Amino acid sequence: MTDSTEQSLSNTLALSNSIALTIPHDLGGLRLDVALQRMLPEHSRSRLQAWIKDGLIMVNAQPSTSKTKVWGGEQVLVQVQVKPESYAYVAEDIPLTIIFEDEHILVVNKPAGMVVHPAAGNWSGTLLNALLFHEPKLKDVPRAGIVHRLDKDTSGLLVVAKNLAAQTNLVRQLQARTVKREYRAIIWGQIWRNGVIDQPIGRDPRSRTKMAINRTGKPAVTRYEVLERFSVQTYMRCNLETGRTHQIRVHMQFLKAPIVGDPVYGFRGIVPIRAMTQTLRDEVSQFNRQALHAIKLGLLHPATDEFMEWQIELADDMKALLEAMRHEDPRNEDDDFELSMEPYLADEDYEDEDDSNNDFDDELEDEDYLEDDGDLEPEDDK
């Protein structure tokens, strides 16, 4: 870079999200995009060209084009567009519901709608951003101490490590499957007895953003128990023995009993409108997420080795849905209603079927040290 260019840059006035500068004479005769790329080497030429095209770069208060020649002395205003991923590890003042906290761990109640870890399409407003604001020291811990995750639209308990030693300990507990995780789910259909689903889960060969029962996938075990049975729905307790991506949601779909409100693993036309009262119809139509809540969490404290357990209330929207179900009029046994083509049975009643899709490439959804939770968003999701 020439002396005159350096002098020009030293006189650059940085505004809140814009840069005002003067084209130095030694860059005279160059195209606008080329001159700007030499003056602003931290930005690629293609990015500058896009900003010029979008009218975000003004020359002498006028829009221009990338091919416009500059001769020196022009006043340029650049409206800098920050990469969204640059917000991934920025502390944000987002309220947290903290259930427990000491110098080693904290347990939070994540609301539905909050993404746990930044990813494409969700670079800010995440639990990680909130954690960095609550405890700035977490910037020195990988992933700000996050060791397991919940899907964006699942509510409930998560544990976060506050130092590297605690994180390593918790990851080992997750890998050893000693962390106790209990969920509550509301599903379509009537489950008549408790059971265990032992079906491997891998990437869906037809959709890379979905998971599916896949014989070449990873072992996945979910235990479920009926808590309340209604005319067209069942309220259940689910306990995870493994922690695969979307485990509970995929396993409930396997039972032909998808979770109420699940936009990914529900069945088209599953809602039995004619079998419900208007009150329940209204409540279901307003329920815009999967009815899944991580209600209980138990683990060994990483510093004291003491077993600790936390349980929270059911999320308010699921409470409201349950109340509407409890006040539903009993369905007439003569009503012609069938939710699916198969009965709702325990897992042991399903015979294994041959899987001809042996060439499916099941990419690892687990990070080297991060154990997926039962309804974790895949890495390449939105």
Side-chain angles (χ1 to χ4, degrees):
M1 185 180 295
T2 64
D3 292 341
S4 58
T5 301
E6 292 178 352
Q7 180 63 35
S8 176
L9 285 175
S10 67
N11 294 330
T12 295
L13 173 64
L15 304 177
S16 57
N17 62 340
S18 62
I19 299 175
L21 49 84
T22 301
I23 301 292
H25 289 284
D26 66 337
L27 295 182
L30 296 178
R31 288 168 41 131
L32 175 61
D33 58 348
V34 176
L36 288 177
Q37 205 281 321
R38 293 188 184 183
M39 299 178 69
L40 302 170
E42 67 273 21
H43 298 296
S44 68
R45 185 174 169 186
S46 61
R47 183 181 304 162
L48 291 166
Q49 289 174 340
W51 292 351
I52 293 171
K53 183 178 180 180
D54 293 340
L56 298 172
I57 296 179
M58 308 293 284
V59 179
N60 293 331
Q62 298 294 322
S64 189
T65 68
S66 296
K67 295 180 180 181
T68 299
K69 292 287 184 67
V70 292
W71 303 104
E74 292 91 346
Q75 301 298 311
V76 180
L77 182 65
V78 181
Q79 298 290 335
V80 176
Q81 302 299 295
V82 180
K83 287 184 178 180
E85 53 265 41
S86 65
Y87 293 110
Y89 280 83
V90 173
E92 296 181 45
D93 188 3
I94 301 171
L96 286 174
T97 301
I98 298 175
I99 306 302
F100 172 84
E101 182 175 15
D102 63 13
E103 61 181 314
H104 303 282
I105 62 173
L106 63 88
V107 176
V108 300
N109 179 6
K110 186 192 84 68
M114 174 182 276
V115 173
V116 172
H117 193 278
N122 295 285
W123 291 115
S124 62
T126 69
L127 177 64
L128 183 144
N129 299 118
L131 290 169
L132 290 174
F133 183 89
H134 173 74
E135 180 52 81
K137 292 181 181 179
L138 285 174
K139 71 180 185 299
D140 298 323
V141 183
R143 292 181 180 263
I146 293 171
V147 294
H148 66 132
R149 294 178 283 177
L150 296 176
D151 175 62
K152 174 182 178 181
D153 289 325
T154 296
S155 52
L157 293 173
L158 279 166
V159 61
V160 177
K162 296 181 69 175
N163 54 63
L164 187 58
Q167 187 178 52
T168 301
N169 182 282
L170 291 174
V171 168
R172 287 174 178 169
Q173 290 189 53
L174 285 162
Q175 292 172 340
R177 303 181 183 179
T178 58
V179 176
K180 307 302 180 184
R181 290 167 288 177
E182 179 180 316
Y183 290 73
R184 297 295 168 85
I186 301 173
I187 58 93
W188 287 114
Q190 294 178 319
I191 300 291
W192 290 100
R193 55 183 174 181
N194 305 334
V196 180
I197 308 171
D198 186 355
Q199 295 290 335
I201 293 177
R203 294 280 181 177
D204 189 327
R206 294 172 296 276
S207 175
R208 298 300 296 170
T209 61
K210 293 176 61 177
M211 309 304 289
I213 301 299
N214 191 306
R215 300 306 179 203
T216 62
K218 296 181 178 181
V221 180
T222 303
R223 296 185 179 274
Y224 61 89
E225 176 185 346
V226 175
L227 298 179
E228 293 183 70
R229 188 182 300 109
F230 304 95
S231 60
V232 296
Q233 293 150 322
T234 303
Y235 179 43
M236 302 176 63
R237 172 187 290 120
C238 296
N239 291 95
L240 297 179
E241 290 191 9
T242 57
R244 304 305 176 205
T245 300
H246 294 174
Q247 178 174 318
I248 295 175
R249 297 164 67 186
V250 172
H251 276 173
M252 290 301 103
Q253 184 189 51
F254 170 78
L255 285 188
K256 303 295 188 296
I259 295 175
V260 171
D262 194 330
V264 178
Y265 300 100
F267 298 145
R268 182 175 298 178
I270 194 70
V271 181
I273 296 295
R274 289 183 296 176
M276 299 188 295
T277 64
Q278 188 61 49
T279 299
L280 185 54
R281 292 181 197 175
D282 292 343
E283 200 63 46
V284 169
S285 67
Q286 296 168 10
F287 200 90
N288 55 5
R289 69 174 181 105
Q290 60 263 13
L292 189 60
H293 180 71
I295 199 167
K296 185 184 291 187
L297 177 68
L299 51 84
L300 296 175
H301 190 281
T304 66
D305 209 32
E306 174 190 1
F307 182 76
M308 303 186 72
E309 188 173 74
W310 303 270
Q311 181 165 344
I312 55 176
E313 292 289 324
L314 192 65
D316 289 341
D317 57 350
M318 288 183 64
K319 282 184 179 180
L321 181 58
L322 271 179
E323 285 305 307
M325 291 159 55
R326 287 168 179 151
H327 288 85
E328 184 79 340
D329 293 333
R331 184 168 56 87
N332 190 324
E333 293 298 329
D334 296 329
D335 288 346
D336 183 17
F337 166 64
E338 185 176 6
L339 192 62
S340 73
M341 299 302 293
E342 299 182 27
Y344 297 85
L345 304 176
D347 182 62
E348 55 264 29
D349 294 309
Y350 286 86
E351 294 182 359
D352 289 340
E353 299 176 357
D354 291 335
D355 186 2
S356 59
N357 186 28
N358 294 323
D359 58 348
F360 173 56
D361 179 19
D362 181 27
E363 295 179 355
L364 293 177
E365 74 273 6
D366 298 337
E367 280 72 26
D368 291 338
Y369 70 93
L370 182 68
E371 174 75 5
D372 290 348
D373 209 345
D375 57 335
L376 167 67
E377 284 289 351
E379 285 300 307
D380 53 359
D381 271 6
K382 59 183 181 306

